Amino acid sequence: MRAEAVAAPAIRRESIDGDVERIGDLHRRLYLEEYGLGESFVDDVEIAARRAFERGWPTEREGAWLVEPADGAGAHLLGAAALLDEAGGAVGTVRWVCLDPRLRGHGLGRRLIGEAVASARSHGYERLELGTFSDLTAAAAIYRSLGFRVTREETGHRWGRTLTYQRYELDLSSPPPS
């Protein structure tokens, strides 16, 4: 059964005060409940988000896609995706991909990741990386359709449960898939 729909959301492209907590809360609401991850998962997300914000994310070569209710900007997030230049070079990182179940199945996730990939191409990145886990099959289908490939998998105990962690990479020197 599909969750109750929400009105068309707004996508904010800049960060504001409180976004570290909003990103953490979004992941807490979705990943802990849906996938049984522990609070250590949210801690890891918030640590990474705080580091990015402290260095000024999003910078000129980075991107933010923060999905909010159209009538309540800044109150809470319904989705997120980020392009980060963590190493300051040719490799970008896609992080914090998350979408409220009420917004899934309408192409918004594909749009967010597609825009992050297009932004990375336009800023001269040679490769994109992202980390995820195998339970996220709908997200994996989007990544693969955009040309991402699994380059590493490890099964073990992480974030309070046993899961298969996956590293995806996208070679941006190749033309985009049609």
Side-chain angles (χ1 to χ4, degrees):
M1 175 182 281
R2 185 177 288 286
E4 181 182 322
V6 295
I11 300 174
R12 180 165 44 89
R13 298 296 314 273
E14 69 282 338
S15 61
I16 60 174
D17 286 342
D19 276 343
V20 168
E21 293 77 15
R22 285 181 197 87
I23 290 169
D25 180 59
L26 174 66
H27 284 73
R28 179 178 292 107
R29 284 185 285 123
L30 301 181
Y31 287 100
L32 273 61
E33 182 179 319
E34 286 186 65
Y35 298 100
L37 301 181
E39 192 66 32
S40 62
F41 172 73
V42 176
D43 293 343
D44 287 351
V45 167
E46 287 183 342
I47 288 167
R50 189 164 287 107
R51 284 184 185 139
F53 277 84
E54 287 171 354
R55 64 170 182 68
W57 175 80
T59 65
E60 185 178 313
R61 293 187 74 219
E62 297 177 307
W65 293 266
L66 302 170
V67 182
E68 300 174 318
D71 61 350
H76 67 282
L77 295 178
L78 297 171
L83 171 62
L84 295 148
D85 184 15
E86 295 175 315
V91 180
T93 306
V94 176
R95 284 192 177 245
W96 312 319
V97 176
C98 201
L99 196 57
D100 187 288
R102 298 170 294 175
L103 297 176
R104 296 178 190 157
H106 303 286
L108 183 56
R110 179 175 304 283
R111 175 182 165 195
L112 297 176
I113 301 306
E115 288 182 15
V117 170
S119 180
R121 283 186 194 282
S122 74
H123 285 98
Y125 288 97
E126 295 173 11
R127 188 174 80 232
L128 282 178
E129 298 178 340
L130 67 84
T132 187
F133 58 101
S134 62
D135 293 25
L136 303 176
T137 56
I142 293 170
Y143 303 145
R144 289 181 172 136
S145 75
L146 293 170
F148 282 89
R149 300 288 173 249
V150 175
T151 59
R152 189 178 77 216
E153 288 187 317
E154 359 177 302
T155 299
H157 195 77
R158 191 172 192 168
W159 300 313
R161 57 167 279 218
T162 300
L163 54 77
T164 300
Y165 180 81
Q166 298 174 315
R167 169 67 65 185
Y168 278 79
E169 292 183 9
L170 173 61
D171 179 0
L172 295 173
S173 64
S174 306
S178 43

